Structures are given as C-alpha cells and as structure tokens.
Amino acid sequence: MTTRKIYILLIPLLFFLGSCSNTDKTGHSKLLPKGTPVADIKPEFTVDEWLVAGPFPNKNLSEPLEDGTYDSGYSEDFLISLGGESQAKLAPEKRIEFTIESGTKSEVNVIPATANEMGIVDFSKIFHNAENKVAYAFAYLRSPKDRTVYFLLGSDDAVKVWVNGELVHENYTFRAINAGDDRFPVNLKAGLNPVLVKVLNGVREWGFVLSIVDKKHWKDLKAKELEEKEFRAFLNCKIVPDWYNVWDEQFYPGDFPQMRWDQPLLAEKVIGKVPLKVRWFDENLNEVQKAEQPGRYLFVAECTSKDGKKIRRAGSLYCWPDKWIGWSERPFVSLEPLAAARFDKKIWKQHEKAIGYNVGRLVLLSTLYQEEGAALMSYLYEMNKGKYENETLDNPLLLDDEYHIRLQKKIGGILYNGPSLNPPAVIEGEPAPVLRPGSPAEAGFKNSIIADVDRVCREWYEASGEPFITLIARNGVIVYHKAVGKDASAVFTTETATPMASITKLITGVTFAQFVQQGLIRIDDPVGKFFPDFPVSGDKALTLRHCFTHTSGLTGHESWGGVHNHRLENIVASQLDRLPVGKRHTYNGDGYDLAGRVMEAVAGKSIFRVIKENLLDPLGMDHSTIDEDLAFSLHSTAGDMARVGQMLLNKGSYGKYEFFSPEVFEQLLPKNLSRFYPGLNLDWGIGITWMRTTHPDAGKNGIPEGKTILSPNIIGHGSATSAVLRVDLDNKLVITQTRRRGGAHYNQYLTELLLAIEKNLK
C-alpha cells in the first residue's frame, strides 16, 4: 500500500477522532473555555444556563435618541472591548472594560447564572435590585443541522437579541416578565450558534426568560394560541335581549325579553350549545315573571359549560313607560374642557353648542345601547319618585352595583354570612398625630429647606412645562405645601385634584386593612371562602394575598368591566385552570378588583362607598374621589394624599381614628414573596411597595453601592401620572406631589427634590 493510499484512508478516521475529541463528557465543546454554557436544540425547552455581565449604566434622557428611545443604555454598545455586541462572545471569568459618560474607565465580571425554576434569569437577584441599568446574557445553541426554530421571549424590561452576530429581535418596552410575550423565528446553523441577550431595567424587577420550540411545536402553540384567544374573547361576552335593534337595554312593560349571548357562535364554540337559565327580579329584589311596572329590573343568568364549569352573569335592564320614544329626545350636555387633553378654554367656549349637542347625542346612544344606560334610566326613574338624596355617592353606577350585591347575597351567590364592616374605631385617650403647618425648626429641618425646594420646583416646571403641587411634612408638621404652574385648563392651586393612577392600589390596600383589623377577612383567606366556583385549598386556591401582590395570574386592568361587573369573580373562576396562581408576578389591577368584590361581599355595599365612608371622610380627604376602578381611578390632591401618608407613618391611626393597628400595619409592608411562593424572589406588600431611590453618588468616593436618598425604609406606590406618595418610616417624613403627567426631565428633578430634602434634615 502506498503512502498516498494510507493518507487517504486515514482522513475519515482523523475527522472522526477530531469530532470526538472536541467534546467532553458533558457534551461541551473542548474548543470553548471551560464553563461556557452550551444548550442542545430540542423540540421544546428553556435555556437555563448563561453567562451574564453587568450592571452597565443607563441614563434616562429628556429627548429621544435617533431610534426613538429615551434610555442611553439601550442603544449604547458596552461590549466594544469584545468586538461589539454583534461579535462579542462572553467567556467565563472574563472582565469587560467599558467607558462611562464621564470618560472614566470601568469594568465588570462575566459570571455564570442559572435560571430559576420558572426559567427566569433574575438580574434583580444577581445584581442586587439595580435600577436603570443594563445587563447581558450569553450562551451557545448547538444544532445538528441548519434549521429554523422559534424563540419565545419574556423580559423586564426592554430587550435585544443577537444570534450568530445578527440582531434578530428588539423591543423597547417596560413590562413585567411574561414568558412568550415576544415570539419570532430564528435561523440556526449546524454547530454552535452564539446567542446574546441584552436587557434594560427601569425600576424594580429585572430579568428575562427564553424558551425555544421547533416548527411542529410552533404550530401546536399557534393552535393553542387561537383557542386561548377565543376563550379570552368569550370572557367579554354579555347576556343581551334577543332582538335585532339598537335599543338593547330597554323594553316595554309585559313579558321580559328572551336573553342570549351577544356572540352566540363564539359562546357555543367555547362553552358548548348549553341552555341558559335566566331569572328576573324587580327593584325590591322580588323574583318576578313579568314586568308589571316601569323601572329597574335585574337578571341573573347561569349555565353549565361542556367541561362542567358554572358560568354566571348578571345585569340590569330598564322597563320604560309605555309609548316613550327614546330617539325623539335631543339632550344637550354641558361638558367642561378636558383638562388632561390641554384644550384651550376660550376656544372651547366658542364651540360650546356644537360640543354640547354632540355629547348629548353620545349620552342618548349610551343610554339606549349600554347596560350603564339602563342603570342611568333606572336611577332617573327612581330619582323622579324622590328616592335619593343629592349626594355624590348616590350615582347610577354605584347604586346599580349595590342592587346586585344585595341580590347576590339574597339568592346565595355570596357565601359570607358574618358581620359587616364597622367604621374606624375612635381612639380612647390621646389622639394620633395629624398634619399641621409649622416652621422648619418644628418639623426638624434647616431653615433653608423652603428656599431649596422652591428653587427645584421652579426649575422643574420651567424645564418640563408640567404644573404640580408638592407637600413635605416631617414629624406631623407641614413645612412646604405649594403649587407651581398652569396648563391649558387652569392655574394649579393646592386644591387642584389630579389623577393618582396606581397610587389608587395603595388606597385599596389600606381600606382592605380595616377588614383585616376587624377580623372579617384574613390576608391569606381564599376567595372561595366568599364566592362559589373557587377552590379553598390546593394550588388553585386563589387568595387575597395573591390579589394584592400581583401573583394571582391575572394580567390586566379593569378587564371584563372590573369591579363593576356583577359576576367578575365567576369570570376569574372560569379561567383558574389557565392561571399560574402563585407562580408568577405580573403587575396588574384585576386582582385588586377581585379583592374589591370580596370586600363588597363582606360589607354588603359598593367598595367605593366603603372607601369614602371608612377612609376618605374620616381622614378629611375632601378633594378626593374614586368611583371607577380600584387600581387607578383615584383623583386627589397633595394635601389629601399627605393625610394618608401621615396615617401610615402613625402605623394605622390619624387624629381620633384608628383605622388599623400597628400589628396589621406590619402585615401590609412589603415582604419577600418567596416566603409564600417559592421562586418569586421580590418584595411586595398589600398595596404598598418600597419606593427607594438610589443615590446618584452610590458606589463613588467611598459611598456604599446601595446608598439610597433618604432612608431605605420608604414606602408608597408608583403612578403612571408620576404622582408621588413616599413615606420615610425612619425619618418620619411624608412627601407627596400631584400632577397630570411626568413630562421632560422628571427623574432628574425628582432626584434633585429628594436630595434637597435630605440635605436639609436636622
């Protein structure tokens, strides 16, 4: 045999031996540094092992960058030292050098990270709750051949993904982690495919989860997605009269209309072709077979779905006086200028008549089309008979809710049969501290506090053009309470009420605390204790703690009509088998509305009446209103919100009232959810969160990395309108600010305000 022939025969053997020697016993390539994560492609799996690097700095910008984003870290490439984001390949124990804005050189380590049991790479835990930062994660995907797979990505917050050096996905968003929120195809090559994930954090939770499926599982997923979409659509279906005209919610005396689903084909597909049982009740809650008189009539509809679930709905219709013709009316409605939309008052006045008649038409159509219109007409009919006082709470929607609460309790739709909620207890002896105006010295501030805060507020308004009201109090003494600026609607005063958005959740939480105080509801009570269709034990036993800590599995705000839906609880119960109860933290308002329905079941009246009678009125919050939703609908002033803050600082008391005890107050405070739900490593309370702000000099000049402005024990809640409610438990400090929107440079000036307050503490 010649040497040439031997060489030719050896070539396949050498290739075989070479391929064998390039992997170790774990299947990792020997060509990669030891400890480099490599995931083999499977039909369906989650990538669990990563190398991570961070945190890198991020700056919130007042003006957008070329790509339309407002965060420098999202666009900045921190991996230049590794060839840039498109070429970078992270290696274990490697250090990454980068330059910060000041020109100073800095570096971070590359460290291994393992996803938690939910598949989430938790940057909050790895990097100790760093806010306004950026981090990277890196791994290899090994594929035996060229193929297309599908990435299912969830992130908190904004995210970019590179595969084989190509940017395959980006989403500039601020959200909670929800697996599979982003879905996109990715082309893999045979062999190793580097994957780089970049995640920007705004505030609080931070991380991502990446799952991968093949084409077959993708088709199955899309089919399940369609089925889920149809199910979700059915949850919004209503029971309506079975006739074809626009006057759906009105009828004449005599027989009740036949009722059906408003989308019968969809309902039949989801729950089956099942009979619907409808019962009717008059305004005295007597069950009736005919409408003998005009006025309010309530119906309750039930059926059993093809999979054995009880489906329940309820509503109201108005029986109008014989021969009344709705479309003959032409109401004129005087509408105030919409403040948040910044319409000019003078121009608005010039068009008042056109606006008034058009809004009147909308009111007429709403009255005839919608269930809310039936509630309005029923109210007007009863009002005309002298039934109601002239009070804000005697409004059509709230009263209709209370009719249904009483009916539900009467016919057994509410399981609770105990005592109702009492007013807050009157304190025997010395009352609790209340807010009062006073001098900086009385409050525990330096005299320069007023001038320093005045300067920040003036510059803030000049920079943003957004008016606001600010209140600062310490030790119960108001040292600063001023309004600055105006918008198209009006000059702001200290009595200008603005939307509090999600600070409403805190109000709902402290209202709930009164039920806990009086032993009517416990935080870990299951919803099934109060309503049928819910389990009271097992992994689907949804509790009040789930509702308040965003761990119920619900995801929206005011879904299905929110707390005004007379069978909201049944809609939630019908989807329990689909909800990851206690498995995921997803910020939402639906849990608060469900908790509100539980409180209504106990109190026997609208939760909005409870809030006004048991919280707003006793606290003297005369400029505050809430009547739409328990997660976002409060309108208030800085002065009113400061009373809530002082009550929290007093651990549940204000003036002569004890709303709840210090022991219950402790139960409201944020706690690590892993104590209750393994794998959820974040702090959350009952409508209350930590509101810490990292000091701008943290980690510099000997200042600890985790240094906060003021104390770390600051509680409150965030707000989509950028309203502020912060209670510093250590410094006995209450800070409130109310506004319609954040505007430009918000984070910069909020930081300056907090620094000015801190600098002036004595």
Side-chain angles (χ1 to χ4, degrees):
M1 185 180 292
T2 65
T3 303
R4 179 178 178 82
K5 288 181 179 178
I6 294 172
Y7 178 72
I8 292 172
L9 290 172
L10 284 175
I11 288 175
L13 178 62
L14 290 172
F15 270 103
F16 173 75
L17 293 174
S19 64
C20 291
S21 62
N22 283 341
T23 59
D24 59 22
K25 293 180 180 180
T26 65
H28 286 72
S29 173
K30 288 185 177 180
L31 300 177
L32 299 177
K34 184 178 180 180
T36 301
V38 178
D40 286 307
I41 292 297
K42 302 171 187 175
E44 183 179 20
F45 72 106
T46 298
V47 184
D48 292 323
E49 300 296 333
W50 297 85
L51 294 174
V52 300
F56 297 91
N58 174 62
K59 185 177 180 180
N60 299 125
L61 307 172
S62 58
E63 300 294 332
L65 297 169
E66 290 183 4
D67 61 2
T69 65
Y70 286 81
D71 290 89
S72 64
Y74 185 69
S75 300
E76 187 170 350
D77 188 341
F78 296 102
L79 304 183
I80 296 298
S81 64
L82 301 182
E85 291 170 334
S86 64
Q87 301 298 319
K89 295 177 177 60
L90 276 59
E93 300 181 4
K94 191 173 184 64
R95 297 184 69 81
I96 299 175
E97 297 179 350
F98 63 97
T99 303
I100 60 177
E101 187 179 29
S102 63
T104 305
K105 299 288 185 180
S106 188
E107 59 182 24
V108 299
N109 291 324
V110 176
I111 58 176
T114 300
N116 63 23
E117 62 183 17
M118 296 175 62
I120 295 173
V121 179
D122 190 349
F123 286 142
S124 296
K125 186 175 182 180
I126 297 169
F127 300 121
H128 308 295
N129 296 312
E131 297 188 343
N132 287 304
K133 301 290 185 182
V134 171
Y136 295 93
F138 179 84
Y140 284 96
L141 299 178
R142 180 163 48 204
S143 176
K145 61 180 180 179
D146 292 356
R147 67 195 303 176
T148 298
V149 296
Y150 296 86
F151 278 22
L152 313 179
L153 175 69
S155 67
D156 186 338
D157 291 299
V159 64
K160 291 183 178 180
V161 181
W162 291 262
V163 178
N164 289 318
E166 179 186 355
L167 181 63
V168 296
H169 179 72
E170 57 182 316
N171 189 355
Y172 182 68
T173 182
F174 294 88
R175 63 186 179 186
I177 295 176
N178 189 25
D181 267 351
D182 299 345
R183 303 176 178 186
F184 49 95
V186 172
N187 295 320
L188 298 182
K189 301 174 182 177
L192 295 176
N193 297 263
V195 177
L196 180 70
V197 180
K198 179 180 185 179
V199 185
L200 166 75
N201 186 36
V203 296
R204 295 189 291 273
E205 296 77 44
W206 182 23
F208 75 98
V209 55
L210 176 62
S211 298
I212 300 173
V213 298
D214 63 11
K215 287 186 177 181
K216 178 183 180 303
H217 283 78
W218 174 253
K219 290 180 180 178
D220 293 342
L221 188 68
K222 296 300 287 184
K224 290 180 181 178
E225 191 176 73
L226 176 60
E227 186 270 336
E228 181 70 14
K229 186 175 181 180
E230 290 172 339
F231 176 77
R232 294 289 170 191
F234 167 71
L235 295 180
N236 283 304
C237 285
K238 298 196 313 177
I239 303 294
V240 298
D242 187 17
W243 50 46
Y244 185 75
N245 63 43
V246 297
W247 322 120
D248 279 349
E249 308 298 333
Q250 322 283 330
F251 67 101
Y252 290 116
D255 292 335
F256 290 113
Q258 292 295 312
M259 306 296 284
R260 62 166 174 84
W261 293 103
D262 61 345
Q263 299 187 60
L265 295 179
L266 175 63
E268 182 176 335
K269 186 173 184 180
V270 174
I271 65 173
K273 192 171 184 178
V274 294
L276 192 65
K277 179 183 177 182
V278 181
R279 300 168 64 187
W280 292 91
F281 301 85
D282 64 18
E283 66 176 86
N284 297 315
L285 307 185
N286 296 316
E287 188 164 6
V288 292
Q289 305 304 316
K290 283 190 174 185
E292 302 290 351
Q293 301 292 333
R296 181 192 310 267
Y297 287 90
L298 290 69
F299 70 85
V300 175
E302 296 183 1
C303 66
T304 302
S305 68
K306 59 187 178 182
D307 57 356
K309 294 177 182 176
K310 289 290 185 182
I311 307 298
R312 310 177 196 272
R313 299 290 189 270
S316 300
L317 266 64
Y318 174 65
C319 179
W320 53 20
D322 197 10
K323 298 183 180 179
W324 181 70
I325 303 174
W327 51 260
S328 66
E329 305 282 4
R330 195 189 181 201
F332 179 89
V333 176
S334 179
L335 184 68
E336 289 292 316
L338 303 177
R342 300 181 174 184
F343 290 116
D344 185 277
K345 270 191 170 182
K346 291 182 179 178
I347 297 176
W348 185 282
K349 187 71 175 176
Q350 295 170 7
H351 299 268
E352 186 175 35
K353 184 173 289 188
I355 295 170
Y357 279 114
N358 192 70
V359 175
R361 181 177 184 272
L362 293 176
V363 169
L364 177 61
L365 292 176
S366 176
T367 299
L368 299 173
Y369 279 165
Q370 302 177 19
E371 185 183 346
E372 287 86 345
L376 172 62
M377 290 302 299
S378 299
Y379 168 82
L380 295 175
Y381 181 78
E382 292 157 358
M383 174 199 74
N384 196 52
K385 296 193 297 183
K387 188 169 182 178
Y388 302 123
E389 299 291 334
N390 182 23
E391 295 182 6
T392 303
L393 279 179
D394 282 339
N395 69 67
L397 195 56
L398 184 151
L399 289 167
D400 190 59
D401 289 346
E402 293 186 331
Y403 270 102
H404 280 277
I405 292 167
R406 293 193 297 272
L407 176 61
Q408 192 172 7
K409 187 177 286 282
K410 177 180 178 180
I411 64 176
I414 291 174
L415 302 180
Y416 179 82
N417 195 29
S420 185
L421 181 70
N422 291 319
V426 176
I427 297 173
E428 296 182 6
E430 185 175 351
V434 298
L435 291 174
R436 63 178 180 84
S439 67
E442 290 177 281
F445 282 110
K446 299 174 184 176
N447 287 331
S448 54
I449 178 68
I450 297 175
D452 285 350
V453 173
D454 266 339
R455 175 188 56 78
V456 172
C457 291
R458 183 177 62 255
E459 293 177 1
W460 194 345
Y461 173 65
E462 290 172 355
S464 69
E466 297 292 343
F468 54 85
I469 307 103
T470 305
L471 187 148
I472 302 166
R474 192 181 188 200
N475 297 316
V477 178
I478 301 172
V479 70
Y480 190 92
H481 187 196
K482 294 183 181 180
V484 59
K486 64 178 181 178
D487 59 16
S489 88
V491 174
F492 268 39
T493 73
T494 56
E495 295 184 354
T496 300
T498 59
M500 296 295 102
S502 283
I503 291 177
T504 306
K505 294 181 176 74
L506 183 143
I507 295 298
T508 304
V510 297
T511 301
F512 173 71
Q514 297 183 56
F515 289 84
V516 177
Q517 172 68 27
Q518 296 179 31
L520 306 176
I521 311 174
R522 294 174 299 180
I523 294 175
D524 290 303
D525 273 346
V527 174
K529 179 179 176 180
F530 305 92
F531 291 111
D533 310 320
F534 287 85
V536 295
S537 61
D539 61 355
K540 297 296 185 180
L542 196 155
T543 69
L544 276 300
R545 190 183 299 277
H546 287 129
C547 292
F548 282 106
T549 60
H550 309 287
T551 55
S552 63
L554 299 169
T555 60
H557 279 74
E558 205 178 17
S559 302
W560 319 294
V563 75
H564 290 299
N565 185 319
H566 310 309
R567 292 298 183 272
L568 172 67
E569 67 284 346
N570 178 262
I571 290 179
V572 175
S574 68
Q575 55 185 304
L576 271 179
D577 55 347
R578 302 165 183 258
L579 298 179
V581 179
K583 304 295 185 183
R584 183 183 302 161
H585 179 273
T586 303
Y587 187 81
N588 71 92
D590 293 339
Y592 281 71
D593 285 334
L594 179 59
R597 290 287 292 138
V598 171
M599 288 186 273
E600 288 182 336
V602 172
K605 52 187 170 183
S606 166
I607 184 59
F608 300 113
R609 190 181 299 278
V610 171
I611 292 174
K612 187 172 192 308
E613 293 177 347
N614 281 56
L615 187 70
L616 304 187
D617 286 351
L619 280 176
M621 297 174 65
D622 299 332
H623 301 96
S624 300
T625 57
I626 175 173
D627 56 17
E628 175 64 24
D629 190 86
L630 294 175
F632 62 80
S633 69
L634 177 72
H635 282 65
S636 190
T637 63
D640 278 8
M641 294 311 300
R643 292 169 180 258
V644 177
Q646 186 64 41
M647 184 266 283
L648 292 173
L649 199 56
N650 297 340
K651 298 185 176 181
S653 298
Y654 189 87
K656 67 179 182 178
Y657 295 111
E658 182 187 59
F659 297 89
F660 44 85
S661 67
E663 291 74 21
V664 170
F665 171 75
E666 291 298 322
Q667 295 182 53
L668 304 181
L669 292 179
K671 295 174 176 59
N672 194 280
L673 295 182
S674 63
R675 292 172 51 180
F676 314 100
Y677 317 120
L680 296 184
N681 184 31
L682 70 159
D683 291 354
W684 213 273
I686 308 302
I688 295 175
T689 63
W690 298 119
M691 296 298 295
R692 299 160 177 150
T693 299
T694 302
H695 198 286
D697 295 328
K700 305 173 187 175
N701 304 319
I703 297 176
E705 184 70 35
K707 174 73 171 67
T708 61
I709 305 176
L710 300 168
S711 89
N713 292 317
I714 295 184
I715 60 173
H717 203 289
S719 165
T721 58
S722 297
V724 174
L725 170 59
R726 299 195 179 194
V727 181
D728 188 331
L729 301 176
D730 293 350
N731 288 309
K732 307 300 180 187
L733 183 66
V734 175
I735 305 167
T736 61
Q737 188 180 86
T738 50
R739 47 170 63 235
R740 299 198 199 282
R741 57 176 65 83
H745 310 287
Y746 176 83
N747 289 323
Q748 172 191 337
Y749 282 101
L750 176 60
T751 297
E752 289 191 24
L753 174 65
L754 297 176
L755 287 171
I757 295 170
E758 181 180 65
K759 183 184 77 170
N760 281 281
L761 293 176
K762 292 175 67 174

